[in-house]
Amino acid sequence: MNYRMTKEVIDLLEQFEIENTESYYPANTNGFKDWLCDKSLSENKRKEEPYWEGKEAGRTPESAISTLLVHLNRYAKTYSKSAISDSDFTTQEDFIYLINLKAFGKMTKMELIKKNIHDKPVGMLIITRLLKQGWIEQEESDIDKRNKIISISEKGKEALNTQMKRIREATDIVAGNLTYHEKMELIRILNKLDRFHYPIFSRNIDSKDLIKTVYEEYSFKN
């Protein structure tokens, strides 16, 4: 048995636990593998920096990332709008809510709203719209009568199935000309960002305190 290798693995696991105190990665084997992959890329496979607009004028990579994410969201919304142009869906959020209910089953209104990263007023408007269409159903919770449990109705499944071909085509277009390897790498990176932001979002920090709170609690030095 190679005890030296075993010790190296144990040391890496210990380092993973120390560096993952903010839970950027899941505390399991998959999280450890993602962390190890990131570490390998940063230490041994550092690529030449890409160009981004404004780089020569001192624009930061963080600024470029933020802008590109905003642009990609707008592109995605444009294709989604086209996918539902001949349907009874009002916005892309309508079918995304239905897709989540179909995939994950019954849940409370707030669980569904948080899963879609919406504020309560926006989420409630979407849920009200879906109820009026008869695409979702609601019932009282057995645990807390104040909560309503919602689920997708048969009519909702039919509406979703009617549009799924065009919705899938829209998602194919959003992924653009990325290769399979690039798609997998992008998913890994976006998952990492999502794991960072979701716990912050879930705390419902007041907007006026949000940036100050996050900056005080997290280090952004690379």
Side-chain angles (χ1 to χ4, degrees), residues 50-68:
Y51 172 80
W52 60 85
E53 188 175 12
K55 183 178 182 180
E56 66 283 351
R59 187 186 187 194
T60 65
E62 292 78 12
S63 173
I65 290 169
S66 181
T67 298
L68 289 170

Side-chain angles (χ1 to χ4, degrees), residues 93 97 113-120 122-123 126 201:
E93 282 79 13
Y97 270 51
I113 290 170
K114 284 188 174 295
K115 183 172 284 292
N116 289 279
I117 320 299
H118 276 141
D119 293 327
K120 184 177 179 179
V122 174
I126 297 168
F201 168 79

Side-chain angles (χ1 to χ4, degrees), residues 122-144:
V122 174
M124 291 303 293
L125 284 174
I126 297 168
I127 290 172
T128 299
R129 191 159 61 237
L130 296 177
L131 283 168
K132 286 181 178 179
Q133 288 282 6
W135 290 340
I136 60 174
E137 300 168 336
Q138 63 179 354
E139 59 187 88
E140 286 187 349
S141 169
D142 293 332
I143 300 174
D144 186 345

Side-chain angles (χ1 to χ4, degrees), residues 22 203 209-220:
E22 301 294 343
R203 291 166 60 185
D209 300 320
L210 180 60
I211 292 177
K212 180 176 182 292
T213 301
V214 176
Y215 251 89
E216 287 177 348
E217 295 182 4
Y218 295 88
S219 172
F220 294 95

Side-chain angles (χ1 to χ4, degrees), residues 5 7 9 31 42 49 90 100 102 118 124 163 165 170 176 191 195 208:
M5 183 179 294
K7 183 179 183 303
V9 172
S42 63
E49 282 189 353
T90 303
N100 277 319
K102 185 178 180 181
H118 276 141
M124 291 303 293
Q163 291 302 121
K165 181 177 182 295
N191 272 335
R195 288 194 297 267
K208 65 181 177 63

Side-chain angles (χ1 to χ4, degrees), residues 46-169:
R46 188 176 300 277
K47 297 180 180 178
E48 183 181 348
E49 282 189 353
Y51 172 80
W52 60 85
E53 188 175 12
K55 183 178 182 180
E56 66 283 351
R59 187 186 187 194
T60 65
E62 292 78 12
S63 173
I65 290 169
S66 181
T67 298
L68 289 170
L69 287 174
V70 170
H71 287 180
L72 287 169
N73 180 54
R74 289 174 181 166
Y75 298 145
K77 283 187 174 181
T78 300
Y79 294 121
S80 294
K81 185 177 180 181
S82 176
I84 61 175
S85 60
D86 59 350
S87 73
D88 292 327
F89 288 103
T90 303
T91 68
Q92 69 171 353
E93 282 79 13
D94 292 355
F95 68 76
I96 291 174
Y97 270 51
L98 292 183
I99 287 173
N100 277 319
L101 286 172
K102 185 178 180 181
F104 300 106
K106 296 180 179 181
M107 62 185 80
T108 67
K109 291 180 179 180
M110 283 310 301
E111 285 172 341
L112 181 59
I113 290 170
K114 284 188 174 295
K115 183 172 284 292
N116 289 279
I117 320 299
H118 276 141
D119 293 327
K120 184 177 179 179
V122 174
M124 291 303 293
L125 284 174
I126 297 168
I127 290 172
T128 299
R129 191 159 61 237
L130 296 177
L131 283 168
K132 286 181 178 179
Q133 288 282 6
W135 290 340
I136 60 174
E137 300 168 336
Q138 63 179 354
E139 59 187 88
E140 286 187 349
S141 169
D142 293 332
I143 300 174
D144 186 345
K145 299 298 182 183
R146 294 171 298 177
N147 284 334
K148 298 291 185 181
I149 304 297
I150 56 177
S151 58
I152 186 170
S153 66
E154 288 301 319
K155 186 178 179 181
K157 291 177 183 177
E158 291 175 7
L160 194 57
N161 289 337
T162 300
Q163 291 302 121
M164 277 310 298
K165 181 177 182 295
R166 287 181 62 97
I167 292 170
R168 289 193 182 99
E169 289 172 346

Side-chain angles (χ1 to χ4, degrees), residues 24-62:
Y24 293 156
Y25 303 89
N28 54 32
T29 304
N30 287 332
F32 176 65
K33 288 191 292 186
D34 285 345
W35 171 82
L36 201 59
C37 181
D38 285 344
K39 185 177 179 64
S40 177
L41 284 172
S42 63
E43 292 181 356
N44 304 318
K45 300 180 182 178
R46 188 176 300 277
K47 297 180 180 178
E48 183 181 348
E49 282 189 353
Y51 172 80
W52 60 85
E53 188 175 12
K55 183 178 182 180
E56 66 283 351
R59 187 186 187 194
T60 65
E62 292 78 12

